[in-house]
């Protein structure tokens, strides 16, 4: 459905209210196919909510979200089909505890795509090799370190062959020594051309990988800039203040 002229994600004037909180206020953001966008901003600024509107984990109060040509508010659109195109990785790894690493990865392709067991196993092997833990294929998640579990979560998302990957603070729950191994996998994915929208506090990753950085505060996008512009000459006073606090 998408072509080079159309963004694969089009978020237009989106607002989201929870009872008494405005989580998003008139947010617009287009993401091109293959683009890497990093979203940063203080806690509670609406980063997760924005990310979750892209696969309709959050319904929106106003505005429009179009993903790969599908208007997510259109009742005729099969949201499960759209979700197959949008992989998501969370801060908490959310692996199925009673399934092995391999089973965690093969479950959705077998159930949702009707993939044959042998094909799914072969694909899972390839993905585990890619994230560097093929030797853990037959163990249960509890036996893995946090970094290993998160790499399995990434492999599991990739098993559906998504066109877009969303990351919501994927390294925030990890011990410092494990952050690098997860970021390495994300960098690899970026180099392969995946469309990625990442919420992260890892500024080194943002600098290296982002085509554009989005700064949010209080439910609004205050600034969108290339890493070079963003880190060297942030325009909005609140961006400047945020960067002073974290850098
Ligand atoms: P961030 O990811 O930047 O920390 P969030 O998107 O999680 O921010 O939250 C934005 C605002 O929306 C916050 O004020 C948060 O408390 C509120 N919020 C998020 N999810 C819910 C919810 N399910 N119910 C009520 N308020 C929520
Ligand atoms: Mg969040």
């Amino acid at each position: 459905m998408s072509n080079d002229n159309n963004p694969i994600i089009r978020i237009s004037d989106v607002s989201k209210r929870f009872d008494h909180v405005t989580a998003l206020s008139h947010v617009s953001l287009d993401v091109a196919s293959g683009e890497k966008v990093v979203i940063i901003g203080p806690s509670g600024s609406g980063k997760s909510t924005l990310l979750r509107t892209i696969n309709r984990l959050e319904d929106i109060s106003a505005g429009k979200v179009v993903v790969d040509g599908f208007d997510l508010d259109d009742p005729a659109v099969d949201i499960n089909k759209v979700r197959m195109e949008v992989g998501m990785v969370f801060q908490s790894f959310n692996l199925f505890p009673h399934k092995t690493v391999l089973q965690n990865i093969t479950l959705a392709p077998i159930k949702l795509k009707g993939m044959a067991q042998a094909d799914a196993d072969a694909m899972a092997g390839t993905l585990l090799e890619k994230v560097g833990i093929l030797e853990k294929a037959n163990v249960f998640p509890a036996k893995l370190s946090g970094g290993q579990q998160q790499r399995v979560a990434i492999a599991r998302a990739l098993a559906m062959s998504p066109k877009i990957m969303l990351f919501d603070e994927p390294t925030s729950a990890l011990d410092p020594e494990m952050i690098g191994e997860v970021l390495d996998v994300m960098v690899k994915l970026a180099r392969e051309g995946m469309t990625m929208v990442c919420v992260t506090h890892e500024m080194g990753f943002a600098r290296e990988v982002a085509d554009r950085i989005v700064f949010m505060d209080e439910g609004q996008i205050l600034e969108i800039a290339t890493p070079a512009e963003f880190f060297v000459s942030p325009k909005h006073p609140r961006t400047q203040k945020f960067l002073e606090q974290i850098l």
Side-chain angles (χ1 to χ4, degrees), residues 22 25 46 55 65 70 84 101 123-124 132 135 144-145 163 173 182-183 191 202 208 216 219:
T22 300
S25 178
N55 56 7
V65 179
F70 296 103
M84 286 193 213
V101 164
M123 178 198 57
E135 75 281 5
L144 301 179
S145 71
K163 292 184 181 172
V182 172
L183 293 178
R191 297 223 169 101
E202 293 298 324
E208 185 182 345
M216 292 186 72

Side-chain angles (χ1 to χ4, degrees), residues 90-213:
F90 303 86
Q91 181 175 332
S92 53
F93 330 119
N94 301 334
L95 297 175
F96 307 118
H98 303 301
K99 299 203 176 289
T100 66
V101 164
L102 192 89
Q103 289 164 343
N104 264 275
I105 297 172
T106 58
L107 184 73
I110 290 172
K111 274 208 166 164
L112 302 177
K113 285 191 158 175
M115 194 180 275
Q117 181 77 54
D119 293 342
D121 287 350
M123 178 198 57
T126 306
L127 287 171
L128 282 173
E129 206 168 1
K130 181 176 188 158
V131 302
I133 36 176
L134 183 54
E135 75 281 5
K136 302 291 185 190
N138 296 312
V139 310
F140 288 91
K143 298 278 180 203
L144 301 179
S145 71
Q148 290 170 330
Q149 288 190 53
Q150 191 61 301
R151 286 186 281 148
V152 173
I154 294 172
R156 182 175 62 174
L158 292 175
M160 292 300 282
S161 306
K163 292 184 181 172
I164 299 164
M165 284 286 286
L166 309 177
F167 291 88
D168 194 356
E169 300 199 30
T171 61
S172 294
L174 298 176
D175 291 335
E177 71 272 20
M178 294 171 188
I179 291 174
E181 67 197 53
V182 172
L183 293 178
D184 285 349
V185 170
M186 293 170 66
V187 170
K188 200 193 264 187
L189 207 54
R191 297 223 169 101
E192 290 172 3
M194 178 63 79
T195 305
M196 294 166 64
V197 184
C198 312
V199 175
T200 182
H201 300 297
E202 293 298 324
M203 293 302 128
F205 174 83
R207 237 183 256 267
E208 185 182 345
V209 167
D211 295 305
R212 289 185 298 156
I213 296 179

Side-chain angles (χ1 to χ4, degrees), residues 8-74:
I8 191 164
I9 302 168
R10 171 155 272 180
I11 297 166
S12 311
D13 204 22
V14 164
S15 296
K16 169 67 181 179
R17 283 186 62 83
F18 296 102
D19 298 334
H20 300 291
V21 181
T22 300
L24 297 174
S25 178
H26 301 286
V27 170
S28 295
L29 177 68
D30 285 352
V31 180
S33 186
E35 194 180 13
K36 295 94 185 75
V37 171
V38 168
I39 302 173
I40 69 172
S43 177
S45 57
K47 305 180 299 294
S48 294
T49 304
L50 179 61
L51 210 59
R52 292 160 61 84
T53 66
I54 298 173
N55 56 7
R56 224 182 77 191
L57 284 181
E58 234 40 279
D59 280 315
I60 57 178
S61 310
K64 197 178 171 81
V65 179
V66 179
V67 175
D68 198 26
F70 296 103
D71 179 345
L72 301 196
D73 260 349
D74 181 348

